[in-house]
Amino acid sequence: MPTSARAKTAAPRTGGAELGNAPRASYGAQAGLARPGTPPAPRADGRPGRQTSIDTGPASTSPAKARKEKEQRKKKRAVAAEASRSEAKLLSIAPRSGPLSSPLKTLGKRLGPRLISALDKKGLRRMGDILFLLPRCYEDRRRLLTIAELEPGARGVTVGIVKVADFVPGKQGRRMFRAVVGDRSGSIAATYFNAGPWLKSRFTVGKRIVLSGEVRATMSGREMAHPEIEPAEDLDSAGSVHFNRIVPVYPGFERGEQRSFRELASRVGEQYAHELEDPLPPELRRRLELMPLPEALRFIHFPPDSADLEALDVHQSPAHRRLAFDELFFLQLGMALKRQGVKAELGIAFDVSPTRMDKARAALPFQLTGAQARVVEELARDMAREEPMNRLVQGDVGSGKTAVAMVAAMVALQAGYQVAVMAPTEILAEQHERNFRKVLGPLGFQVGLVSASGTAKAKRQVRDAVARGDIHLAVGTHALIQQDMSFDKLGLVVIDEQHRFGVLQRHSLMSKGPKPDVLVMTATPIPRTLAMTLYGDLDLSIIDQLPPGRTPINTRVFNDKQRARVYESIASELAKGHQAYVVYPLVEESEKLDLEDATRGVEKLRVAFPQAKVGLLHGRMKAEEKDAVMEDFREKRLDVLVCTTVVEVGVDVPNASVMVVEAAERFGLSQLHQLRGRVGRGAAASYCYLVASSARSWESTERLSVMEASSDGFVIAEKDLEIRGPGEFLGTRQSGLPELAVANLARDGDLLSMAQAEARRILARDPDMKSPEHQGLVKALEERWEGRLALARVG
Ligand code: ADP
Ligand code: MG
């Protein structure tokens, strides 16, 4: 069992001596909880705890402001609660063997065939599936309120007898269903708009039902709009699973089915929860004060009366946190195993003697910043080791990642190895080629561009030169990882703007040579939690300082009706000899979206600035055309560059000082931050204008104001993640990020750090996972990660 598990999870295969080596834990040390100065974890209300650069204004706490903040917090909590409620979330960690894997049918005939088939349709077939289907929310039925006690404006649960129920004409001629339910203390109406005829059968006059929903006061008395209802059959029987307790509400079942499912969950919980083996070593569980797994599941389905209802509802109870830890821990353990596997393979030990390092640094046209120098040291240490480097350099836009890559490249080149530099766009690849050539050419190194465009012959010539080793440093887009590319002696792979490539591509380039060192760089700051999940197998270096002499970018949001003011500013910058970008979200006119496209924008700007030279750049142009336009802009033959998001990443023209983003509400925050990063690269003051539709939503306005308030990419990325969720944030699927059922990456940063530290700690002590106390882990890893871990270890 253990052996097969290890084989599946990228166990070290070669070099017996390396097996004993504890994996280095530099990332863990940086990200761990214990490190002083670690930013506080996101707070339970979902707002990031770190507020370093968001200017929250004067710290006055006027009552009005406090009230507003309180309201906002409340709203946010409601949104978070809604988000965790919306989907059916099935933890996919139900055991594949043992009693919990037995089919539901074995529970006996009390499970009607209709229920069984309904469950089957939802993919719930085994005992374990029932236990691991988590309630979406809870209802407080510890003490039911009498109808008189229901308070307008609050949620409430009550029981009453149906007095009347029928369809009545509603507003605007629509049909409405209205029932009146009463008890000894009074009565309340239940109303439903656009309801089907089935409702009537749920409100049988004379029957007792449970009503649950938000109470409001109306002209004709109190009512609940669209309350959830349930038959109240065994209200008086002692020990009922439906009453006198906090009651779970499950996702994907209508209210009528809730009762049967609740009964089922209770039976499975009682009979089977104790059969669950807790995979976490007891020592770890005790130290982190985590609930045992069976207890956590029982708690989640049927919380004790003392439980905190609000925490339950937002999936933050101690039991939920135990399950969230589980999810994150096994993710991190898989990553750590994989990372250890890479480390155990043999790579190249480069010479990083002071002479060589000095030579490399001296070739740069400027002095490294403190942060760059520190990261270079970290890279040098990695490169000197025989294990392959596998490091992520994260640095905000304009922090100077290219220079760091250049030093690393020179270390490899001086040792007689080739370097591959991969960029996500042709424009960026071409820019890198030019910059690397400027620095490396004088030292006698050949730099070549492997392009997807150009004639077949030209392309073949470059490919051959790379294969022969005549080109020492090859820059390219994904063309670099095509099948027909081969290197003579590849020693270092640099991947710029890593977030633009999928996990698969990263590994495919790594497999080009005999284990080259790998340096990946990302400018879209990825929140720490996501970086740890996506790149948990990498060591992390952070460039947290900008080169000297930068003035902060002045960012303003304008309505599209205020465009004249934006144009004024462009005019005044152009008069000073600077240049401007104007970015549009679309290339061609779209009938559906009333957006000005880039082509029309060019015409408009030419009219507005008759003296200026205005150029157009968009994704549908041929690579040669793009290069030519970019070249014109760089050489100041163009004053204004109208473009789509092709300039989003990497483009570096320091003389440009204005960035205008049209239809800004259509862009994500991180994307806006990237675009803004195209200016502010020189010493001159720079401006970023976000022009948004005056008809935008309130949410868009709030979102855009984050850009005005902060210039810290990490703060912005965290906001972005919080607003859009990890899937959308990353444009996922390609990222290989697993679905998490309980854990929430925008919120559970503290758990994630803990999970990573623990995973690495276990492997440091027991790299082969041989010790008896770890056998539960091995088994669980195998069950949970089968398939999913395969994606994470395509290398
Ligand atoms: P990014 O991290 O966004 O890729 P770049 O590597 O493109 O940033 O660098 C941004 C700009 O800063 C470039 O014009 C580069 O030449 C300049 N730069 C980088 N490092 C330094 C430094 N240490 N001193 C001065 N300028 C620097
Ligand atoms: Mg860059």
Side-chain angles (χ1 to χ4, degrees), residues 19 24 44 71 110 137-138 259 349 357 372 414-415 442 457 464 516 529 531 639 651 709 715 722 729:
L19 291 184
R24 281 169 293 136
E71 257 164 36
R110 269 196 63 198
C137 62
Y138 296 84
R259 270 179 75 91
M357 292 307 293
Q372 283 171 322
Q414 291 183 75
K457 189 172 161 217
D464 291 349
T529 51
D639 304 302
V651 171
V715 172
E722 198 184 296
F729 178 85

Side-chain angles (χ1 to χ4, degrees), residues 146-166:
T146 64
I147 290 178
E149 282 171 324
L150 291 172
E151 261 188 63
R155 280 189 72 83
V157 190
T158 191
V159 171
I161 290 178
V162 181
K163 308 275 192 205
V164 255
D166 215 340

Side-chain angles (χ1 to χ4, degrees), residues 741-754:
V742 197
N744 173 339
L745 291 175
R747 182 191 65 195
D748 297 331
D750 59 332
L751 280 182
L752 185 58
S753 299
M754 228 153 74

Side-chain angles (χ1 to χ4, degrees), residues 635-687:
E635 300 300 328
K636 285 191 70 174
R637 290 190 291 266
L638 289 175
D639 304 302
V640 180
L641 187 61
V642 176
C643 48
T644 59
T645 50
V646 285
V647 297
E648 183 184 332
V649 289
V651 171
D652 184 39
V653 180
N655 187 51
S657 65
V658 186
M659 165 59 67
V660 179
V661 182
E662 292 280 353
E665 75 276 12
R666 304 220 160 255
F667 293 86
L669 282 181
S670 294
Q671 213 180 359
L672 289 174
H673 181 64
Q674 279 286 331
L675 285 168
R676 174 168 64 182
R678 296 311 115 219
V679 296
R681 305 193 141 231
S686 296
Y687 305 88

Side-chain angles (χ1 to χ4, degrees), residues 77-89 134-138 155 228 249-252 309-310 313-315:
R77 257 204 310 272
V79 169
E82 193 46 51
S84 39
R85 269 178 204 166
S86 53
E87 266 174 77
K89 286 180 171 172
L134 308 182
R136 69 177 161 87
C137 62
Y138 296 84
R155 280 189 72 83
E228 303 191 334
V249 178
Y250 293 93
L309 203 71
E310 192 177 327
D313 261 346
V314 296
H315 292 185

Side-chain angles (χ1 to χ4, degrees), residues 366-369 372 396-402 547 550 652 681:
F366 41 68
Q367 183 111 33
L368 291 176
T369 62
Q372 283 171 322
D396 212 342
V397 251
S399 60
K401 292 179 291 296
T402 319
R550 301 268 175 90
D652 184 39
R681 305 193 141 231

Side-chain angles (χ1 to χ4, degrees), residues 478-539:
H478 46 271
L480 267 183
I481 55 167
Q482 244 108 69
Q483 293 280 299
D484 51 0
M485 276 303 296
S486 68
F487 289 79
D488 176 41
K489 203 178 170 194
L490 184 60
L492 172 70
V493 172
V494 177
I495 306 178
D496 196 13
E497 310 291 353
Q498 152 74 35
H499 62 284
R500 288 302 196 89
F501 298 100
V503 180
L504 288 159
Q505 284 170 328
R506 166 150 61 99
H507 287 276
S508 144
L509 192 53
M510 274 193 247
S511 60
K512 281 278 173 198
K515 290 306 148 200
D517 279 0
V518 175
L519 166 61
V520 301
M521 310 200 285
T522 175
T524 286
I526 294 176
R528 223 163 48 88
T529 51
L530 265 194
M532 285 167 70
T533 317
L534 278 180
Y535 310 125
D537 57 329
L538 302 179
D539 297 307

